[in-house]
Amino acid sequence: MNKDSKKYYRDLRLFLPVRGKKEKHLFSEIHMRLEELNENTEDISYEQICEELGTPQEIVSGYFCDTDAEYLVKKLRFTQYIRRVSIALIIAIFVVMSVYSYYLHKLYLEVSEKDIPTYYIETIE
């Protein structure tokens, strides 16, 4: 695939926020069509691809119109749940690492204030 075909495919993936079996099937069909267009026309432009297949916005709009609303709501809620869990996990890791760093710094200051010898000289008589 050439540069414009890859850009078209990336734009299509950008406009479709839901990822499921149906969406993977749609992406594979579009990918096959892009490969066919690239085989038939060597230097196909982005505009030519849009004329042949439709703009990414049109494809996604048609997909949303044809797909069951309950399926879309279910997938979007799951995506929202995953985002929230990921954000909570990142915040929890940040808090734990901050507390851990605070206690390590506190321990470092306690050790640096004491005059602890780093080596011993032992003489045998």
Side-chain angles (χ1 to χ4, degrees):
M1 287 196 323
N2 66 5
K3 183 179 174 182
D4 291 330
S5 297
K6 290 178 182 178
K7 181 181 182 319
Y8 182 86
Y9 191 74
R10 278 194 314 267
D11 290 346
L12 181 67
R13 290 185 67 90
L14 177 70
F15 285 117
L16 193 62
V18 180
R19 303 281 196 261
K21 289 182 182 180
K22 293 179 182 179
E23 292 79 16
K24 286 181 184 178
H25 182 68
L26 174 70
F27 287 133
S28 66
E29 286 180 11
I30 297 293
H31 195 270
M32 287 180 4
R33 290 290 309 268
L34 285 172
E35 287 179 354
E36 289 174 5
L37 286 174
N38 284 320
E39 288 175 5
N40 296 337
T41 310
E42 289 182 15
D43 290 331
I44 191 165
S45 69
Y46 188 86
E47 291 78 22
Q48 291 172 333
I49 295 171
C50 289
E51 288 175 10
E52 189 73 30
L53 300 177
T55 63
Q57 295 91 338
E58 291 171 350
I59 291 175
V60 171
S61 175
Y63 174 77
F64 282 141
C65 290
D66 294 340
T67 305
D68 182 30
E70 187 177 318
Y71 170 78
L72 288 174
V73 169
K74 181 180 173 184
K75 287 293 183 179
L76 288 173
R77 282 188 181 157
F78 180 73
T79 304
Q80 184 180 22
Y81 173 75
I82 293 297
R83 282 188 188 138
R84 287 182 178 173
V85 167
S86 299
I87 290 171
L89 185 62
I90 290 170
I91 290 172
I93 289 172
F94 180 74
V95 167
V96 167
M97 293 305 295
S98 297
V99 170
Y100 182 70
S101 297
Y102 170 74
Y103 282 116
L104 279 179
H105 183 69
K106 188 176 173 183
L107 181 64
Y108 170 76
L109 291 177
E110 286 178 12
V111 169
S112 64
E113 288 175 0
K114 294 181 181 179
D115 191 24
I116 300 174
T118 56
Y119 62 92
Y120 294 100
I121 298 177
E122 188 173 322
T123 57
I124 302 174
E125 293 183 23

